[in-house]
Amino acid sequence: MTSRPDSKTEAETLRSPALYLGRVVVPTRADDRGALLSGTRLKGAAFPALHWLIRHTPRPVALLPARLVTVLLRLRYFLPGYRLRAACLAISHLRGHGDARRIHRRFLGNALDVIANFVCLYQQGRASVLPRIYIADEDVERVRRLTGQHGGVILAVPHNVASAFSALRIGHCFDMLLVAKNPRTAARTRIALDFYERMHLSVLMVRGGNPFELSRTLFSVLRKGKLVAATLDNQDRSANAVQVRMFGQTVGLPGWAARIAARRQVPVVPAWFHSTGRDIRVLIGRPILSDDVARIVQHYADFFQQHILEDPESWAYLADKHWQALLARACESAQVQASSS
């Protein structure tokens, strides 16, 4: 991977064999906005430290800080004002059963196990971790058949704890282009590219890119028999959002993938990544082929909701403040309905 700074724009051009377009332009300086302990600031400090540990220390040492954080967060469960605990309680209520503390414990365990898998990937190579990610042969054949019939497929995935790591298996099974938002800084983008290169993935980084050029690239890709994978469960408050129903609430989700699928007439296939310790199972949903953008988005939103309720420990956005707020509203609405009935 190579880079070239541009002092005029305070941006840097990074080049990597993992980049589908060959290069990406990212800021050279960190985004200093947000609270002292905001997610942006914490990721800006934690990711480089973890990357250094993975490169320079044995696996037990590299995992030591992550294990310590896991212990501290488990103890945090008992203290007031802990939003992740509130989310676990809300999802337990919405699914009608389950122990919120158990969900919390397994969620943290899944996150730690994915970090352990990345350490093994980096230190021992792809062959050491590929067997930990399973996808049924019939699902592989079904997606390949759809790709052959329509010239391409869009795989709609949520932000699961194991989503990024599971791309290793998806990329092994299919001719895949991963669409991802690059990190906000050049330093963190270099780290991401280092892992993408080791996973032998092709990635289209879209943060700050020209929407017209990116759309044209994706239309071109979907004429070449490729599978395009993208995480599509971000809450979207822009004018381009598609309004859907999830957990009895109205929420905006990104519609760009559905619009491309409708115009190009390729199917959208939802997927879920179920974590059980360090082992991951890729679950493939029913495809949808439609020219109705709202119908496409609601289709994969329904799939996401079903699996979030069945397997909340695998969903990374259980720790997202926007989804936590929606789950709280959904839980409150369910309680009001129950008391009035």
Side-chain angles (χ1 to χ4, degrees):
M1 179 175 60
T2 60
S3 63
R4 178 179 60 81
D6 186 339
S7 58
K8 291 182 180 179
T9 60
E10 296 185 338
E12 190 168 349
T13 300
L14 304 182
R15 291 178 172 82
S16 165
L19 289 168
Y20 182 74
L21 297 178
R23 65 191 183 100
V24 64
V25 179
V26 291
T28 56
R29 296 189 302 180
D31 186 348
D32 293 328
R33 293 175 297 177
L36 181 61
L37 294 179
S38 67
T40 298
R41 287 178 180 268
L42 290 175
K43 285 186 289 186
F47 285 3
L50 179 60
H51 188 234
W52 186 92
L53 288 168
I54 290 173
R55 286 183 297 145
H56 298 291
T57 66
R59 178 174 171 269
V61 177
L63 286 174
L64 192 59
R67 294 186 186 280
L68 177 60
V69 170
T70 300
V71 171
L72 293 175
L73 288 175
R74 285 178 176 173
L75 294 175
R76 178 77 173 88
Y77 185 86
F78 300 98
L79 299 179
Y82 185 33
R83 293 190 305 195
L84 182 55
R85 179 187 60 188
C88 293
L89 288 167
I91 205 75
S92 295
H93 180 82
L94 291 171
R95 68 203 298 242
H97 63 90
D99 179 354
R101 186 180 172 193
R102 180 171 173 267
I103 293 172
H104 180 262
R105 184 173 63 250
R106 287 190 171 183
F107 176 85
L108 295 178
N110 284 339
L112 181 61
D113 287 328
V114 165
I115 293 173
N117 279 337
F118 271 114
V119 174
C120 286
L121 165 70
Y122 200 98
Q123 297 184 349
Q124 299 175 28
R126 296 167 73 239
S128 68
V129 290
L130 259 174
R132 294 193 173 277
I133 316 166
Y134 173 79
I135 181 171
D137 291 341
E138 56 267 29
D139 285 336
V140 173
E141 289 306 314
R142 182 156 55 101
V143 174
R144 285 177 178 170
R145 186 168 57 251
L146 288 168
T147 304
Q149 290 172 349
H150 301 280
V153 164
I154 293 179
L155 192 72
V157 303
H159 282 79
N160 280 19
V161 174
S163 289
F165 187 75
S166 298
L168 182 64
R169 172 59 68 184
I170 304 296
H172 183 78
C173 293
F174 309 105
D175 184 5
M176 180 188 75
L177 175 65
L178 178 64
V179 180
K181 274 189 176 182
N182 44 294
R184 293 181 181 275
T185 67
R188 283 171 49 202
T189 302
R190 285 194 199 92
I191 294 171
L193 288 172
D194 188 14
F195 282 102
Y196 287 138
E197 289 173 12
R198 291 173 186 276
M199 296 169 80
H200 298 183
L201 296 180
S202 177
V203 59
L204 178 67
M205 289 189 163
V206 298
R207 186 188 296 276
N210 183 297
F212 175 78
E213 294 294 334
L214 294 172
S215 295
R216 188 170 65 177
T217 298
L218 291 172
F219 276 113
S220 173
V221 166
L222 289 168
R223 288 192 291 267
K224 298 177 180 178
K226 285 181 177 287
L227 179 144
V228 172
T231 46
L232 298 172
D233 61 339
N234 292 313
Q235 288 194 33
D236 187 348
R237 293 174 174 79
S238 74
N240 294 320
V242 176
Q243 301 301 314
V244 298
R245 296 289 291 177
M246 291 186 71
F247 307 106
Q249 307 293 303
T250 299
V251 60
L253 294 183
W256 64 265
R259 292 186 180 95
I260 289 174
R263 184 172 174 183
R264 181 68 184 84
Q265 279 298 284
V266 298
V268 175
V269 180
W272 182 264
F273 307 112
H274 171 65
S275 296
T276 307
R278 292 184 61 190
D279 295 323
I280 299 146
R281 183 182 179 91
V282 182
L283 304 175
I284 301 295
R286 180 174 56 86
I288 182 170
L289 180 65
S290 174
D291 57 6
D292 186 335
V293 171
R295 182 167 171 253
I296 294 172
V297 179
Q298 187 65 65
H299 175 75
Y300 61 72
D302 290 341
F303 179 87
F304 293 165
Q305 175 178 310
Q306 173 193 341
H307 287 280
I308 290 166
L309 291 173
E310 293 175 356
D311 181 29
E313 303 95 340
S314 296
W315 190 42
Y317 270 0
L318 197 62
D320 176 77
K321 64 180 180 180
H322 302 296
W323 280 104
Q324 287 171 346
L326 184 137
L327 291 173
R329 294 195 302 272
C331 187
E332 183 179 352
S333 295
Q335 290 172 339
V336 169
Q337 291 176 4
S339 62
S340 62
S341 61

